[in-house]
Amino acid sequence: MMATEPRETGAADDVLVRVEGLHKSFGKLHVLKGVDFAVRRGEVVVVIGPSGSGKSTLLRCLNFLEEPQKGVITIGGVSVTCGGRGKAHKRAVRDVRLKCGMVFQEFNLFPHKSVTENVIEAPMLVKGLSKEAATERAFALLAKVGLSDRADYFPSQISGGQKQRVAIARALAMDPELMLFDEPTSALDPELIGEVLGVMKDLAQEGMTMIVVSHEMGFARDVADRVIFMDGGYFVEQGPPSEVFFHPREDRTRQFLRHILPEQEPEHAAELGITGEAEEGASEEEAQGEEAAEEAPAGGSPGA
Ligand SMILES: Nc1ncnc2c1ncn2[C@@H]1O[C@H](COP(=O)(O)OP(=O)(O)O)[C@@H](O)[C@H]1O
Ligand SMILES: [Mg+2]
């Protein structure tokens, strides 16, 4: 499909994730309409797009929190043909899920468990690690995310940024090959966003393969190998951040960037001619009127 899609030029294991013809509907609502893509080992992919475009559904399908109706998902050499049944299918789904760690916007920590208990739970239950081994690993991971001093706290006793770092440690405790992040900083107060992005950046630099739904452009520009703009259940455009953010080829991408560029990257927005002159020159109402008019045909609000 897109020219920027990685090809299997080198060894076959260069590609960690391959998705072919992925379809997902909720009842009559067709959300993913034939998504194809591949992610190389160590690659960081940032997915952007308006609210309702299917970003979360895509991530949730990759680790089978949602079962897609159609398509083939291959992660780390394990292939699942969606819509299958039976024992072999179930085992393949389980194997794929074990390769994925996921971090959610709302943290999803167990509120009645301490930070350490949150991190050791899955390795003990799913991987059969002893409490000692799991705890030792948890301490190492909590140190990595800068939370050694919060090991015995409960989620209600720590900040949102700290909760999200626990959630990252918890996902890493399962030794995933792929990390999926669904708007990991969207629920955070602005001053707490940086600490979470910092941990994610470290992870990327260590070579973790990551698919990140996020509109944090600074992070995308510094860390992403590729940005995908998704709209209406399709990948509209993809490429390096410098291209997708600053030289978008597609009108829909440009339209969407109106909602995030002026705020986050005013200079580049101006270069692209998409800072609202409206916002600077005209009244607030006019600027809002223009936005509302743009959104109406798409039937949704801009990215959450
Ligand atoms: N479990 C579900 N049941 C029914 N509809 C859903 C479900 N999850 C998502 N949707 C719908 O699918 C569409 C895509 O949602 P989502 O993937 O969450 O978009 P995004 O993450 O890009 O905002 C939306 O219209 C949403 O309402
Ligand atoms: Mg979402």
Side-chain angles (χ1 to χ4, degrees), residues 94-165:
R94 179 180 183 276
D95 288 349
V96 163
R97 296 191 68 172
L98 280 173
K99 290 174 187 286
C100 302
M102 180 136 174
V103 174
F104 304 87
Q105 180 176 333
E106 298 292 345
F107 326 126
N108 295 2
L109 297 180
F110 301 114
H112 57 289
K113 290 183 187 290
S114 74
V115 163
T116 303
E117 286 165 347
N118 264 280
V119 180
I120 66 176
E121 165 104 1
M124 287 173 59
L125 268 179
V126 181
K127 290 200 159 175
L129 254 65
S130 70
K131 187 166 185 181
E132 291 67 35
T135 305
E136 192 179 330
R137 174 94 170 109
F139 286 167
L141 287 167
L142 289 173
K144 184 187 172 81
V145 301
L147 289 175
S148 293
D149 56 344
R150 293 293 184 272
D152 297 327
Y153 284 55
F154 284 81
S156 61
Q157 298 171 315
I158 59 178
S159 73
Q162 291 170 336
K163 279 183 223 179
Q164 196 59 300
R165 286 186 280 148

Side-chain angles (χ1 to χ4, degrees), residues 64-266:
F64 290 91
L65 286 177
E66 302 285 357
E67 178 112 28
Q69 280 85 7
K70 220 170 115 186
V72 180
I73 296 176
T74 306
I75 300 182
V78 179
S79 265
V80 178
T81 301
C82 301
R85 286 174 202 288
K87 267 192 183 161
H89 175 75
K90 282 202 178 125
R91 189 174 311 121
V93 167
R94 179 180 183 276
D95 288 349
V96 163
R97 296 191 68 172
L98 280 173
K99 290 174 187 286
C100 302
M102 180 136 174
V103 174
F104 304 87
Q105 180 176 333
E106 298 292 345
F107 326 126
N108 295 2
L109 297 180
F110 301 114
H112 57 289
K113 290 183 187 290
S114 74
V115 163
T116 303
E117 286 165 347
N118 264 280
V119 180
I120 66 176
E121 165 104 1
M124 287 173 59
L125 268 179
V126 181
K127 290 200 159 175
L129 254 65
S130 70
K131 187 166 185 181
E132 291 67 35
T135 305
E136 192 179 330
R137 174 94 170 109
F139 286 167
L141 287 167
L142 289 173
K144 184 187 172 81
V145 301
L147 289 175
S148 293
D149 56 344
R150 293 293 184 272
D152 297 327
Y153 284 55
F154 284 81
S156 61
Q157 298 171 315
I158 59 178
S159 73
Q162 291 170 336
K163 279 183 223 179
Q164 196 59 300
R165 286 186 280 148
V166 173
I168 294 172
R170 181 179 60 175
L172 292 174
M174 292 295 283
D175 292 319
E177 292 181 51
L178 170 69
M179 283 287 285
L180 306 169
F181 292 87
D182 192 0
E183 306 211 32
T185 60
S186 296
L188 298 177
D189 291 333
E191 71 272 21
L192 303 178
I193 290 174
E195 65 192 58
V196 172
L197 294 179
V199 167
M200 292 168 62
K201 201 168 173 176
D202 290 346
L203 208 53
Q205 273 158 3
E206 287 167 20
M208 178 60 78
T209 311
M210 298 170 38
I211 303 178
V212 183
V213 174
S214 171
H215 295 127
E216 289 295 332
M217 287 191 55
F219 174 81
R221 202 184 36 204
D222 292 349
V223 182
D225 298 296
R226 179 162 40 134
V227 173
I228 294 174
F229 171 61
M230 194 170 174
D231 195 11
Y234 297 104
F235 289 0
V236 173
E237 173 163 3
Q238 54 180 311
S242 55
E243 282 180 23
V244 175
F245 285 133
F246 305 126
H247 306 282
R249 290 186 302 260
E250 301 292 332
D251 257 6
R252 272 154 87 188
T253 314
R254 190 177 284 263
Q255 290 291 324
F256 174 71
L257 289 175
R258 276 176 185 269
H259 299 296
I260 58 172
L261 266 176
E263 189 187 330
Q264 296 195 28
E265 300 278 341

Side-chain angles (χ1 to χ4, degrees), residues 26 29 31 50-57 66:
F26 296 104
L29 185 68
V31 176
S51 179
S53 57
K55 306 179 300 296
S56 296
T57 302
E66 302 285 357

